[in-house]
Every structure is written in structure tokens, then in C-alpha cells.
Amino acid sequence: MSTFTALNIIPDEDSDDEIDNTKEIQTEEALKLYQNAVKLHSQGPEYIKDASDAYTRLFNSDIFQYPESLPGYSRAEQYDHELSLHLNFDKVHADALLGSSLAARSGSDGLPSTLPQLLHLAYKNRGQLALDYLKRHFNEESATTVGEEAFPDLSSEIINSSTKNALMNFSEALARDETDGELWRRTSRIASSFGSKRIMRFCLEAVLDVEDEGLHGESSLVGLEEAFAGEQLTELLHALDDQISISRPPISTFTQKRLTQRMKRILDPFPYLPDISQKIDLRVPGWTLSVPSNEDLRLDVVPHSWAALGKSMLQYLDPQLQGSTQSSRGARVFIDLQGAEVEGNQPSASGNGQPVNGSSQRDNSASSSEAAVAGRKDSANTDVVNPENDADMQNDAMENSLQGAKDTADGEVGNETPKIVIDLPTRKRSPFSAGLQETADGSSRVRSKRIKARESIAEAEGDVKSASEIAKQCEERQQSFEEADEWMFHNVNNLLAQLGVEELGDPNRLRQIVLGPNDSQLEDLSEDSGHEIRDVAVRDMYAAVKFWNDDKGKTFLNGDGIDASASTVDESNAIRSRNAGITAFLEHSRQGGVTAVSKPTLSGDEGLARFAKQINKEQLSLRIVGMRWLESLLLPEIYGGMSSTSEAGSEDTQEPSYVRHTWPHPLKEAVVLILVCMDDLLYLRAQQHRFANEARWSEPAAVLTDVTYETDEAMTILAQTIFELHLDIYASITNPSSRVDTATRLAQRDRLERWATVVNDIMNLRNEDSSLPDKDSLTLRYLWASAIHASVSDNTPREHVILCMEDLQVILRAAGDPIIHLPNNAVMPDVSSAAAERETSKLTTMDFFLQIFQNEDDDPIAVIEILEPVLDPQAFQDDESEPRETSSQDVASTDVGRTTGTEQQNPESTSRAESSPNIPDMRKFLESGTASLRLFLWKKLRDAYESIEYPPKVMSCYLRSIEVVIAEFHSSRYLEIPSNRRQVILMKWLHVLDDLVSRALTVSLENPGAFDCVDREHLLTSLTANTTLFRLLHGFALFEDLVRAGQLQVDCVNHTSLGAFVHVAQKLREMQIRTWTLLYSILKEGIEQHMDITSSSTSDILIELLRSLHHAAGIRFICSASNKVFLKLMQSEILRLDDKEGWEPAFAQILFDLYGLRLGAGVYILEDHGCIPDPLDRRVAIRIMDFVLTIVRGVNVKDLPKTDYKATIDKMQHAIGAPKPMAPRSHNLRIFESFLKMSINPRDLFRCLRGQIQLSTIPVKGEIASIAEKGWYFLLGQMALTRFRSQKRVSSGSTDDLNIASTFFRRDLEFSVDRWETWYRQAQTYDSLLEEGVAWSAEKLNKDHQELFTLQRNAINCYTMAVSTAIRLADSTEGIASKMSDLYTNFGCRIYATSRPPFGLEPFRLDNSERFFSGIHGMYKKSAHAELSDYKAWSFATVLFKKAQSVKPDYWINYYMMGKCLWKMFQHVENVRDGPKVEAAQVIQAFEEAVRTVPERRSDKQDPILEPHYKLVSVVHKLVRNECLEPDEACKILQLTPYARHLSHAQGRDEWDAYVLNILKSLRVADKANWHHRMIARAAYIHYDGSSDETHASAARHELSQHIFTKTMAIQVWKPEYERAGRHFWYTSQYTSFFVRVLGRLNDRAGMEALMKRVRKRTSEFYSHTKIWGEVCLEYLKLLRRAGQIPEGHEDAVFKSISNDDFQARSMRLQSWCHLPSTSNSSLDILRDVIELKRLNNNLMKSTLLDDLTTDTYSLLYETVVPDLMEKTSGEQVEKKDEKRDMMNVNNLLMSTDGASEKLSIPPTHPDTTTSTGVKQRIKGVGRREIIRKAEAAVTKPASALAPSAKAPPRPIEPPTRPIAPATGQPAHKAESPSAKDDAGTGMDSSAPGSVHDSADDESDDSDTDEQPKMPTAKPMFPNLGRSSEPNDTAGVVHGQGQGNEDEKASAAVADS
């Protein structure tokens, strides 16, 4: 609110000047400093120092001292001490104090908006300046050196300080604006310069997450910078081995597209900085970049294992891995086993993810030692590798190792990059630890996605139930799983037993086998002799998922390189297939027939502590430590090797770790890398040893300079072992599937050749020593290695190698057939005669197999002819013994048409067959080996059959492949390896089986004859294999059951691999469902092939099996897995099978799972199986239509809309859609519409009763016709019709349901017109439309006649066709007969209703149905047939009701309606009767039967059915009145109704009316709801009886006024339940007409006026409203004439002799008199009422009668009033003349000069009608229009009269006292009759006033009330119509209307009750 300020007072200072603008000024000054610094920065390198000084001045400004300039976490740390100052306060006060302190310091009031941006840019540009400074030094040192290839020789201090300065400034800038994506990229690049991958990942993730889209959402990045950041993050995640992050978007999108190297160099923000992160592999444990000094090299071993030590040494042995220019070769090595810090629960094969600083490790020795123990245990469990069973894994490791070794050999020491060590804070602060709150708008730092995920998990786990409830729920769930398994196993076992296949077994026993042993016992399941062999894989399956890790997940998802079922469509797949096949062949040749011997796995730290202690004690160099490390692993303990835990002198002490242990995968990789890195030193030592041995034999022994061994045997063993390892390396990288480049292969070949030469010399010298045994194990190893070396050499003939192997067999057998196992060498895992024989077999068959795998252009027929005898000898023998129906040649010639298949036409296949080895040898070779080669051979055969498109054989190949894999689980190779390794192998084979089962299932489902080539033996073996797979996967199901039941927590799974486990679990569920589906397909084929094995129905057996499988899968919520393949199969099978029983519940459940259709609710139990419904398509909807209709027809159609079936039907109809237009349908539709428009022929009505009415239509064929034939459209129409008819309607509503029903019925008839029930329901639809049109309003009855007549005609025609078709085609079943009875009843009711008012035979008229005919006299026009008379209509309806009675003899409506028809026929006039005479007894008998069959009330609340009782009373009363029946006999007849039994009989006709009235009274008492009105009207008719006695009229008025007409004349006529629609409007009109006559007879003017007002207002409540209104007006006009005694034609008598001028003058005086408030005259009142009635009429009725009464009344008023007015006016004129004479006096003239003279009225004189010529002119008379106009003006007050006047009112004129002349010669004064007095005193019900004007006082002039006494004045009858603007008009009438409305509401409430 503004205040007043004096203008003459000047304030000293304005308040606005007190604002502190110091911060704004300081900010502006800082902005100037910033602009200066940026300007200097942009001028080039020579201004860097000036720019640095400018930035220093900028950061010394005041704005950087503001609390607001600090980031949030810094403010919280700075002001945390305020809490400690107030420790005495409670927590609330302390929190409040801290919040206020922070708010005070962090408030932004008064700060300029540019400050945050200025702070961000200042830090960002100062960081960039530090990097520009570093770039300047690089350019000065070496202008040509950029990128990562080389690094200028700069001091570490310059690099460290510059990068650290830039990093810290960038961090401060990002703390103020974290949405700067480019700055995040720069920070990541700086982190890569010193190898911090943790910072790199954080920054790169921030680049992709800068818009808070999340790393788990879909990427929408399109910029090059963002793409470059995504690719960098992808490479980093590969280095970190984070497979989960790699597999999820958006990282997965970056793996598909790569940027070019040139583009990467362009996008690199700092290309002059090194990228050390690319040279650090965090998967290598124990890596470090920190070298304390040249004098002391510390090796941190993380975790404690030999592999970790080897990796640590490799960081310095390999220059590229070392990352430092400082030489480490002369440094003393110190092995630290205590200082390493590791992360718990991580596999030993991966590192800790961060650089490890040596000083920090020593500071945390206690915690690191504890972590090392955890790492040691983890490595012992996860790094177990069996080279005999996983050679591919070793090959990949060797390839990677050799590729790195090649890079090492190619690099130069002089180009090594300097090591950068930057100490960075490792603590990561969260917003919660800093005391910051996250705002709602996200202005603070966004929380991590991981934190949000943890919070959501915590919230989900917050709701915990009680322990008892959880236990009970878990027990019930587990019980349901067990019951489902028992049912499923029982059905499967029965079928398997009948087919002679090994059963699944007992599910409880299988559960005990899997869950019986403890977790510790799961490691040795194979040794448990109490279990079968097939149970081992099941228990392995359970153990694998229970003890999950990433290795198992990767193996299952990726298949470990096995591609046994991939397609070979394109070239790349073909090459991959060839290489994989050759690899499998070579591996098979190495491992096929050997029984694997399990060697103990080398634990992580076995002997490591002693080794480290010895090394630290001797202080050796790094290369010497590497030599010692190799000696420990490759030499026996007695020669300096690794110490053993066995006793001294045992066999283990004689063998090195290389022989007695199985090395972990990382250790094998480290050994290979160190061998390659130290190859020069090792080879030098071997050469020195060879020279020494040669010199010893020729000269004195030479002494080695550096290293000496106790004996020559140690060096010999070491050289032989190194030779074997190099041989293993070379064999692995020359594998056909290897991807190693040629240079690496050549380098390794050179090493191998060198070592082969030196070992050859050493072994030759050793063999010359006679003290050694002749053929010891070392010699045998050398011979074997030499033979393998010859086989891998390129120039060695194969025959030579074969001879070598044969010689080895001889030597080994001569030596006692020893077996030497080398578990860590993949190329020679064992040395034995069996292995030599296997190698010989491999070399013999190699050409054959190589030719198969390498040649992809072979003729498929030739491949089939060669491979099928080898792989499937049984089928080949069958082909030879008896010809097959479809051989491969036939298939090729008929299906494909490629070649004829004969050997003469295929020379290539002939030569191949001739060159192939012996088939038995190949079979023996395959049977003795592994499964990989056989899988690829089966694949080759399957591809050949696929190429010729022969699905049966393709299916056979898939089944055989599954058998091969399943047999592998029962082989010794699988059973004899450790449990943890078995689990990994199990995952590998499950990957293969998943693909095989999926493809086999696809073939079986898509090809009906897929099992045509599967004979009995093949079928049984396939069943056995699939049953085993069924049991195997059930182990996983048991694991999930425990998890679902709550008995096993998901915490058992390692959380680091939880994401992968979820993916694998889903794939296992899908695989389980596919296996079940395939097993069912095979079982079905077995049953069909052997129908004699079971006595039960095949359909019942299969359905029972499907139900059990579905139930077991459903309760586990897995039945929808694999794209719902099982559900779809089960659906198709149930629809396919015939003669099935008990299939409905299963099929209902299937439809619910597939499409969400709820069928059988209340009949079948539908369980929720967690399936997402699929959209229902048209094909499926048509297939399941029969089942749906079967279920729906069992439900009452009235209940269908209330059930779930309605949604199902709507969904199906939406899927089916509208039928397409067809010519036959269009033709049939035209026929149908033409038939409906036809007039009603009486002959056709009677012909339809004989079934002779038909329509000629065209048949419609196709799928849509089958839909109609099933009754689908009829069902939809019936549902819509029933839905409308079942609704309780209280007002008019929409008829959409009826239109829909009519549409579907018409569509059903378009396909066939022979469906009688469709015709019947279509007729009912038209009936419902008709009833809806006339039930709530009479407007259509009064106006839209044609629409109602059309509906009636359509309904009658449809009924006609329905009856005719039903008689001709309907069945005679009970249900059909009942429907036909209803048809007859409805048809009869329609005929009768059409013949009676308010329709009155209109639909039967033939107005427009004339046609042209040709006769004798030519063409003439005539109606085609005669009209249906009312008598014929009633007669036809009687026939229909009789037919309905024959089926339903107890249905009272049939008798009731037949009685009404007979009664009308009885009453018909004789001369127009069209049939036999009806007797009264027939009528009475019909109504008696109706009374007898009417149902009794079930409760008191139910309304009784009174129609037959009343109709019997009414008909009997009319018969008595017509003297057709005597009263005594009539009383006996009426004793049938209970409402007359308690009454005494009438004694004669005089007492008859009273007797009937008492019966009617009883009926009215029974009608408590007051629905029925016929009894009331009948009683009134009896009272009135046409008598002229007013007493009878009063009695009739009393009866009607009790219920039908209220005091306000509200008419209460309701429609009872069984009354025809629209009939009550007709009754209302009849009652009103009758009541008007009664009121007229009683001269009840007030009641008549109220009734007129009601009738005129409610036009929609009366049938023939215009006619009723005319009757009311006529009777009211008669009443007014009688009341005013106005003679007729009085106009002529009064105005005939009066001239127009006299009339005009006198009418004005009469008008003035009428407008006086004090005027009161009865004729004037009558005139007013007539004028108001005329206005109310508004031309609805012709105004002739109204004008007659108006002119007669005005004439009477003129005649009586005008003479008195003229006489009084004449006297006044005489007085005025005397006064004028006095006024001529002088005194009066002087005194009246100022006054006004009063005008005198001159009496009118008749004008002189004679002219100057003496001719008399004609006098103008008074016209009728002028009289009416004057009458209206007399009763209408002018507008000026309604306003209050200031003048005094004129003196009232006395009314005339002359008697009124009688109109018809009656005396002027007639005494009022006593009856009239009674009527005036009592009125209606003795309470109505004599006139509505008695209480109306609104016409009085309020301005006269103060000076004039109130005079009685009459008011118009309808004042509201005359002056609707006056608020108080007709207050009494309005009150009466309100009372009438209340009466109506009360009556409606009673009716509803």
C-alpha cells in the first residue's frame, strides 16, 4: 500500500542506495582479469608465461574466496567443525545449526548470474594452459615426435606437474559444471597418459551419461566425439574383462562400428600425450609401474600364486609390458608376498583393476595379507584347467602369448616410454557423506545408477512377512512342485515303459539324488557308487547353477568355440565350419581313446614361500630369477624343482610339476611368455650344456660360468621339457582354426627347430651314457616328441610319420607298454602305444576327412553316399538288404533335380568312393574318440540333405547329433575328470544341445513327415537320449524350485555374475521347454508307429501327457518360454486329435496362457502361469471357434454379458473382422431387404404354418461361410439383443445394441436363409426397436407413423419366415420345441398388437401395393392380394397360441392372449365376420385356463399377476351387461379367481354392479404398487354407465381421482409388466376423454381448467393428442356458455343495427370501463377465459368455436354495459352546460383566468345520412373481426395502466343493475339448483374451490390499494400465459403443479418397490 510523501520534504538518502553491490563490482573486476588471461592464452606459446601470470592474478581475486565459489563437498568439509562446537545440543539443534550455517554461506542472494560460469571457465582454461605448456616442451624437444609411437626425453617432473595441474583444474571445473562432455573427454585423455583406467572409465561413462540417459538405456549419440568416447570405453571394458557392461547398450552398439585410425588421431584432444593405459592389462594380477630404484626391484605378487609371480616378472621382462626406459636387468629382485592388496571374491585370472603402489602396499601389509588368503582360495577353485579336455582354451592362450612375444621381439629398448607415477586421491566422496541433499530439480550432482539400484533393492526387501507365514507359503509351493512332477513323471514313464525305453525314474528319488549330498560332497559325485551313471550329469547340472561363476556363463552362452550346428550358407561360415571340423578331427586324434587321468591342480602358493625366501636371500637379477622360476616348474625336486608335500623318495619327488600337476590357465600362459621372452638365455644355456657334454666326451669337463647344475640330467630334462612346450606352442598356432599371423608362426617355427636340434644332440650324448636305463621315460618322451615334430613339419612325408608311429608302438610294447601323462601339453597329453595307434589311424584317415571338410563344393549326393555308411551303418545295411522307398538318389532326382545319383553319372563321387579308406576302420576311429568330430560329420551329412531338401533325413541327423552329445555324458572322459571341470564341460555341451534341440524342433513342427526316416531302433535311441536330457535339465528345475519356494536364497549365486546368470537361467528354461516339446513329438511318433502297445485311446494318452507337462511348466511360470512353442504345439494337438475326452479344461488353460481368453470360468479352474497374452489372429480365432461356442452355449445367453466370455468373444470378433464383400452375399442381402418390404399377404401367413414360405438365394462358400455356419454371427447378435432386453430401463436410452444385433442377424442370413432361429431373433430385434420407440413417449405414435409401421411389417415378415423354416427344418428336440413355442407366442402377440390401437391394422394396409395385371380387357391395376382384416388377424393369432399351448400347456400368457383374441372375435359385428362364430363359453374357458396356470407369488415382495383375473372379471361383466350370461352363472365363474371367493354372490342384476365393484376393489388392494389402472377405469365406467345423473358422474370422478387424476390433474397411468408397449398412451387418452365428459357433466370448471392446462402441456403423454385437445376444448366451451348463460348467435342480435362509427365510440367507453380496477362482471370474466384459452390453443385446434364464444360473450357484455354508460354520460353533459353558463359571468371569468377549463363530453349524435341531393347513404356495419379485436382489447390492459399513476384514480362507476336478458327465453333470475350448490361447495373431493379465480388476486392494480377499497375482481384462467413476466401470477396454480409432481414421484416410488 502506497504511503503519502510530502512534496516539500526531501529525504536525506534513498533506501535503494543502501544495497551492497560489492560482489558485483568484484565479479566485474574478475571478469576483466579473465578476459585478459584468455587473450594472452590465445596469442600462442610465447605468451604462455604471461598467460600463467594472468591466471594467477585471476585466482587471487576475491571471487574465489566466496563460500559460494567452493563446490558442495568442500563447503561441507570446511564447515563441519561447527557441529563439534555444539555437542551439548541435541541432534535437532545441531542439524538446524549446520543447515543455517551452510545456507548462510552458500546463499546466492545478491550474486551475479555470471559467477558460476566464470568459475567453470577459469579452471577449465587454466588446466588447458598447463597442457599447452607441456605441448610446447614436446615441440621444443622433438618436433617430429607425436602420439604414442615415441615419447620425447622429458623429465618426469615436467610431465607429472603439468598433467597433475591440468587434472586438478579440470576436476574443479567439472565440480562446478558436470554437463561439459568435452571436458570429461579431456580428463579421460589425461588419465590415460599415466595409466589410470579407473579415472578413464569414470570420465568416459560421464561423457555417455551427461544427459542422464544412463548407460543402460538406448544410445542416441550421433556425434563423432561421443562415438570416439564410446569406442574408447569399449576398449577399456575389454581390458577390464567386464563382459556384462560390454553386452548391454549403449556399449554393445559401439562394438559394431569402428572409427578409422586417422579419425581417432583427429579426435584425440591431446595427441602429444602418451597412452600408457593401452599397455596395461588389468586382467594380469599383481601388475605395477612403480620401480623403486635400479638397485632394488620389488615384485608384488597378487594373489599368492606362481602365475601371479610370473606375470609380475613379465612386466619387466617384456619391454612393452614394462612401460619404462629404466633398465631392470641389473636390479636386485625382491619378492613381496605380504604387501599386495587384492579385492576379495575375484578370480585369480583377473587383476584388481587399479595400479598398485609399492609404498602403499607396505603400509597396508596386515590387510593385504588377509586379502591374499582370500585370493588364494578363490584361485584354487576357479583356475582349474584340464588340457586333455580343453585344448582350445590352451591354444587361444598360447596364441595371445605368442602375439605379445612377437610384439616384444619387434620392439626396441630405446623407444620405451617413460613411466609416469602420479599420486592421486583414491577416496570417492558421495553426496551423502558430504552432508549434501539432492534437490528435486536435479541441480545437485546426480546420484550414481548403482546407488539408486541399491536403494530400490532395499525398498523391495523392506516388506518382510513373518517367519511362520513365509515357511508355510514355501512349504505349500514346494508341495505343489512335487505333485506336478509326480504327475508328469508318471505319464512319461508309462509311455516310455510301453515303448521299451528306460524310464525317467521316480521324481522323489531324483530329488534326493540331487539334493541329498552336502555341498562339500558335490565335488566327488562320480565316485558315489550308490547312484547311476546318468545321475552324474544331473547332479553336475544342479551343482553348476548352485555354485555359479562367469566361466560357466561364458561357456554356456558362447559355446567355447564349438559350432556343431551352425549353417554354412555364406563363405565366412563355410570357412569357419571347415576350420572347426579340421580342429575337431585333430583334437579327436589326440584325445579320442585315452582314458583321462586326473592330475592334482597346482595350488596357488605351493612351495612359493620357500622360493621367494630363497630368491630374497640370494639377491639375484631378474633374468636369473626367471630361470629359477622355470626350473621350479619344469624340474623335479631333486634337481632344484618345486618342493613336494610327499615324502622324500616317493614318486612325486622324481617328477616335475610339469608332469605331476595340472597347471592353471594363467600359469600356462605365464610359462609360455617367459619361455619366449628368455628364449635367448635358455637357448644359450642349452648350447653351453651341449658343448660341455661334447667336451666331456672328447676333452676334460668344462665348467659353466654363471649357473651350474648338480648333474647333466637336470639340464637334459629342462631342455626336453622346453622342446615339448615349444612343440605344443607351434602345434596350437598352426591349427587350421588358428588366427595367428604368418610372422609369429615363422618365429615360433625357428625356435622349435633350434630346440629340436639342440635337444637331439643332448639326447644323443645322453644315450651314450651306459649308466642310464635304455628306454627310460625321458627317452620315450623324446622319441614321441620327435615323431610329433615330424608330423607338424611341412616337408615330412606322411609315410615317414606313419613309420615312426609304428616303430613307437613296437618300442612302447617292448618297454612294457608304459603310459606317460603330460597334463600340461595339449599336443602330446600322453605317451602310450594306444596313443601311437591312434595317431597312426589319424594319419591314415586324414586325407579322407580333410577332403570332406576342405571341399565345400562337393555334390551332396556323393557326400551322402560316403558319410552315411560311416555314421549310420544300420541305415546303410538296411539300404543294402532291401530297397528304401526314398533313397538319397531318388530324393536328389525327384525333389531337387540336380543329378541322377548313379555312379556313372557322377565320376567325382566314384573316385571319392574308390579313394576312401576302409569303412570299418573309419567307424572304429570314430567310435574310439570324442564327440566333436562326429558332430561335425553329422553336420556335414545334414547339410547335404538340407541342400537336396529332404527334411526326414535332416531330422534324423539332428536326432543322431543329440544322441552323440548325450552319450558323451556317460563316457569315461566325462566321468573321470573333476567335478568343477565337469560343470564347465557340461555348460559347453548344453550350448550345443540347445541349438540342436531348437533346430530339430523347428524341423519337426514345420514338416508333417519329419519322422519318416526314423525307424523303431532309431526312435528308441532318440527317446533314450531325449529322456536323459529331460532328466538333466530337471536338475536346473529343482534348483529353481528351491529358490521359488524360499528354501534356497539367490545369494548362493555370485553377485558379480548375477546378470549373466539371469540370462543363462532364461535360456535354460527355454531349452527345457523345447526339450519337453521335442520329447512329446518323438513319443507321439512312437505311439503312432506302435498302436498295439496300449489299450487306451491314443488321443486320451497324448492329452493326458500334454496336461501334465503343461501343469508342471505352468506352476513354474516357464510355459511361455521359447516363444510359447509348447503352448502352440499343445493347442494344435488338441484341435487335431479326435475322439478325445477331458480336453476342455486343458484347452481353456491353453487359450488363457496364449491369448488371455477366460473360458470356462466357474466350470474350469484357470491358473495364472505368468504368461503375457499374444494378440489373437484371425486364423487362431477361427480354429478355436468351435470350442468357444461349445462352452458359451452351455451358459444362459442372459448371463453372457456379465461373464468373462463377453471379453473373449469381443476379442475373437476383433481378430476375425468384418467379412469382405462378395457377390453372392450382396445378392442375398437384396433378396432379404426386398422380402422385408413386402406387404403382408393373409395367404402367406397361413401358408407359413405348413412350411411353404421360402426365399431363393445363392449359396456362399469360403472360410467366412464356415464362420456363419458355426453360428458365430448368430451368437454375436443374440448377445447384443439379450444385453438390451435384460437391462432394467427407467427412461429412453440408446438402441445401439439392437442395431448391432440386427446387423449380425442380417449378416448371418446373408449366408443362409434356412436358419429359423436367426429369423426369430431378427423379428425380436424389430419388436424391441418398436417397443423402445413407443414405450417412453407418444411422439412417434402421433407423428412418425411410417417408421413404426415399417418395424411392425419387418417383424411380421421375419416371424413368418421363422415359422415356415422351423416347421420345415427344425429338430424335434425338447429345447427346439420350447423355442418354437416362444416363437408362436411372440408371433401371435405381434399380430394381435398390430390389430389393436394404437396401431390399428395400419401395417396390414395396401395403400401402395397395387400392381399392373393383364386381363381380358387389357391392362389394369389392382392390389396383389387382399388386406388382412382384423377378424382374420385374430383368428390367425388364435391358431398360433394354440400351437404354443401344445408345447407349453402351463404358460398362462398363451391362454390369456388367446382369450383376448376370442373375445374380440366374439364382439365382432356379424356382417363383417370372416370366420366361424365364437361362443362365449370359448372365451370364458380361455380366461379360466389363464387364471389356473398363472404362477403364484414366491414371496410377499413379488407383485401378483393380475391381468388374467381382471380380464376374466371384465369379460364376465360385459357378458352379463349384454345379457349373454346370467348373474348366478357369472358368479360361479368368478369364483375361480381368489379375489372373488370371499364375496357373497350377487342376487340379481341389481346387485351385480356392486358385486363387480367389490371384486375390482379387491384387485386394487392386491396391486400395492399401483401399477394397474384398468381396474380403476373399469370401476369408473361402471359408476358412470352413460347415465345423466350427476351422482353417477360424481362417483366416476371420485374413482378416477383416487389414482389416475390427482388434484392438480397429473395423470398417473403406468405400464404394467405384461401390458403391450404404447398401449398405456392410448389408455391415457381414453381416460382423459372420459374424465372430460364427467367434468363437463358436473360443471367442474376448476377441474376442467387444470386438466386443460395439463393436456396442452404434456403432448407426448397422449395418443392422438390433437383429438383429445379438441374434445377438452369443446367441453370447456360448453361449460363456459352454461356458466355465463351466453346465448349462441347473440352477435347478430346486438350489432346488426349498429353503425361502425357508433360501435367504435361506444366500444372505447366499454373498453375504458373494462380496464377499471373496480370493474366486476361475470360476462367479462367469461370473455377473459375465452381469450386466454385462445392463446393457449395457439392454433392447435381450429378457432371457430373459440371465436363464436368470444363474439357472443362480447355482444352480451356490450348489450348490458354500454346503455348504462351512455345514460350516465348524458347526465354529466347537462351539468357541464349549466356550469359553462355560470362561467360566462365576469367574476367567474376574472377568477378563472389561471385555471384550466375542463373539456366537456359531447354526446354522440347519429350523423346525417342524407346528402345534399337528398339521397340516403348506406350505413357501415360492424364486422366479426372488429368485434373479436375489441373483445381482446377489452380484456387486455394497456401498458400505461400497468404503471402506477400519480393522479387520483377516477371515481368508480357502479356496475349495471339491469337484469341480463335471457338468451333462450329463460327467466332473467333463475334459482340455482341444489346440486349446483353442492358442487360449488364440495368441488372435487369436497376440497376444490369453486373457481380457480377465487384465490387469484394478481390482476388488481397495486397503485389503487391505498385509496380504493378492494373490490372482487375476476382473473383470467391462464394468467401465466397472459403475463408470464409477473412473478406472483397464478400462485395457486403453480403450487398445484408442484403438488402434482410430488404425487407423480410418490407413485413412481411405489411402482418401483
Side-chain angles (χ1 to χ4, degrees), residues 977-1118:
I977 59 177
S979 174
N980 53 358
R981 183 56 194 156
R982 279 204 313 266
Q983 297 170 17
V984 177
I985 295 175
L986 177 64
M987 294 294 108
K988 176 183 68 176
W989 290 119
L990 283 178
H991 172 81
V992 178
L993 285 171
D994 185 20
D995 195 70
L996 289 174
V997 171
S998 177
R999 294 175 182 271
L1001 182 60
T1002 303
V1003 175
S1004 65
L1005 295 179
E1006 294 180 354
N1007 299 277
F1011 293 94
D1012 290 348
C1013 293
V1014 179
D1015 56 5
R1016 177 178 175 80
E1017 183 180 356
H1018 187 184
L1019 184 71
L1020 297 181
T1021 55
S1022 298
L1023 272 176
T1024 303
N1026 281 272
T1027 303
T1028 304
L1029 182 58
F1030 185 101
R1031 286 171 50 88
L1032 174 63
L1033 295 175
H1034 198 70
F1036 172 74
L1038 295 177
F1039 169 78
E1040 282 202 317
D1041 291 347
L1042 295 177
V1043 175
R1044 293 190 186 98
Q1047 299 180 9
L1048 182 65
Q1049 299 296 330
V1050 187
D1051 295 339
C1052 297
V1053 182
N1054 190 358
H1055 284 287
T1056 59
S1057 58
L1058 183 57
F1061 176 77
V1062 173
H1063 188 197
V1064 171
Q1066 181 61 29
K1067 290 186 69 67
L1068 286 174
R1069 298 186 196 105
E1070 295 177 356
M1071 183 179 178
Q1072 186 176 10
I1073 290 299
R1074 285 192 290 265
T1075 302
W1076 292 8
T1077 309
L1078 182 60
L1079 179 62
Y1080 170 81
S1081 300
I1082 301 174
L1083 285 172
K1084 181 185 68 174
E1085 180 66 21
I1087 294 177
E1088 292 177 354
Q1089 290 186 8
H1090 309 281
M1091 298 293 295
D1092 55 342
I1093 62 174
T1094 176
S1095 59
S1096 303
S1097 173
T1098 304
S1099 300
D1100 296 341
I1101 295 175
L1102 293 178
I1103 287 179
E1104 186 69 14
L1105 176 60
L1106 288 172
R1107 288 182 60 193
S1108 61
L1109 292 173
H1110 183 206
H1111 178 64
I1115 64 172
R1116 292 180 169 93
F1117 296 97
I1118 63 173

Side-chain angles (χ1 to χ4, degrees), residues 1134-1310:
I1134 293 179
L1135 294 175
R1136 180 188 64 86
L1137 296 174
D1138 299 328
D1139 300 331
K1140 47 185 178 290
E1141 295 180 359
W1143 60 279
E1144 293 87 356
F1147 196 63
Q1149 183 67 50
I1150 284 293
L1151 296 181
F1152 177 67
D1153 292 344
L1154 279 174
Y1155 313 109
L1157 304 180
R1158 292 184 173 271
L1159 294 172
V1163 181
Y1164 313 130
I1165 299 177
L1166 299 180
E1167 300 178 352
D1168 185 9
H1169 292 165
C1171 301
I1172 300 177
D1174 291 340
L1176 186 66
D1177 57 356
R1178 176 184 174 87
R1179 181 183 58 85
V1180 176
I1182 294 175
R1183 292 188 63 189
I1184 67 175
M1185 186 176 294
D1186 292 333
F1187 174 72
V1188 174
L1189 292 174
T1190 301
I1191 294 182
V1192 168
R1193 285 165 182 163
V1195 181
N1196 191 345
V1197 69
K1198 296 181 180 180
D1199 300 331
L1200 275 179
K1202 305 175 185 178
T1203 62
D1204 295 332
Y1205 297 148
K1206 180 183 180 300
T1208 299
I1209 295 173
D1210 292 343
K1211 188 179 293 186
M1212 291 180 61
Q1213 175 59 24
H1214 182 269
I1216 295 172
K1220 297 180 180 179
M1222 302 173 63
R1225 287 182 51 233
S1226 301
H1227 174 78
N1228 296 344
L1229 180 60
R1230 289 193 297 268
I1231 297 297
F1232 172 78
E1233 293 177 349
S1234 301
F1235 172 74
L1236 293 183
K1237 297 177 182 178
M1238 291 176 57
S1239 59
I1240 300 174
N1241 191 344
R1243 292 185 178 182
D1244 290 342
L1245 292 180
F1246 289 93
R1247 286 173 59 207
C1248 77
L1249 297 177
R1250 297 190 294 270
Q1252 297 177 355
I1253 304 298
Q1254 299 185 36
L1255 296 180
S1256 177
T1257 58
I1258 300 176
V1260 182
K1261 299 181 180 179
E1263 184 182 52
I1264 193 68
S1266 64
I1267 295 176
E1269 185 179 358
K1270 294 176 182 178
W1272 179 253
Y1273 295 124
F1274 173 75
L1275 173 65
L1276 296 177
Q1278 191 177 16
M1279 284 183 59
L1281 175 61
T1282 306
R1283 182 168 56 249
F1284 178 85
R1285 300 181 70 178
S1286 61
Q1287 294 176 357
K1288 184 179 180 181
R1289 310 178 70 84
V1290 295
S1291 63
S1292 178
S1294 174
T1295 58
D1296 292 342
D1297 289 335
L1298 294 177
N1299 296 331
I1300 293 173
S1302 180
T1303 301
F1304 283 117
F1305 289 141
R1306 184 172 61 250
R1307 184 174 299 172
D1308 191 37
L1309 293 174
E1310 290 174 6

Side-chain angles (χ1 to χ4, degrees), residues 294-352:
N294 258 348
E295 303 300 330
D296 188 6
L297 180 62
R298 181 178 300 275
L299 299 179
D300 297 323
V301 182
V302 181
H304 295 178
S305 65
W306 290 92
L309 179 57
K311 296 294 184 180
S312 298
M313 291 187 296
L314 281 172
Q315 297 296 324
Y316 303 100
L317 290 174
D318 188 347
Q320 290 193 358
L321 291 178
Q322 181 180 355
S324 176
T325 57
Q326 300 176 1
S327 176
S328 60
R329 297 187 178 183
R332 294 172 298 179
V333 176
F334 178 80
I335 301 176
D336 188 0
L337 298 179
Q338 303 295 330
E341 180 180 357
V342 298
E343 296 180 13
N345 297 331
Q346 290 292 332
S348 61
S350 61
N352 55 4

Side-chain angles (χ1 to χ4, degrees), residues 1641-1652:
R1641 183 69 186 85
L1642 296 175
N1643 293 320
D1644 189 354
R1645 183 177 172 185
M1648 185 72 73
E1649 291 172 354
L1651 180 61
M1652 288 186 65

Side-chain angles (χ1 to χ4, degrees), residues 128 135 138 145-152 189 264-275:
Q128 184 64 36
K135 180 179 180 182
F138 279 128
T145 305
V146 293
E148 303 178 7
E149 301 299 331
F151 208 149
R189 183 64 180 87
K264 291 181 180 179
R265 287 194 296 270
I266 294 174
L267 295 176
D268 191 353
F270 309 120
Y272 49 84
L273 290 180
D275 192 358

Side-chain angles (χ1 to χ4, degrees), residues 1571-1583:
W1571 282 106
H1572 297 272
H1573 50 82
R1574 300 292 304 278
M1575 292 85 73
I1576 302 170
R1578 177 57 57 192
Y1581 290 151
I1582 293 175
H1583 281 298

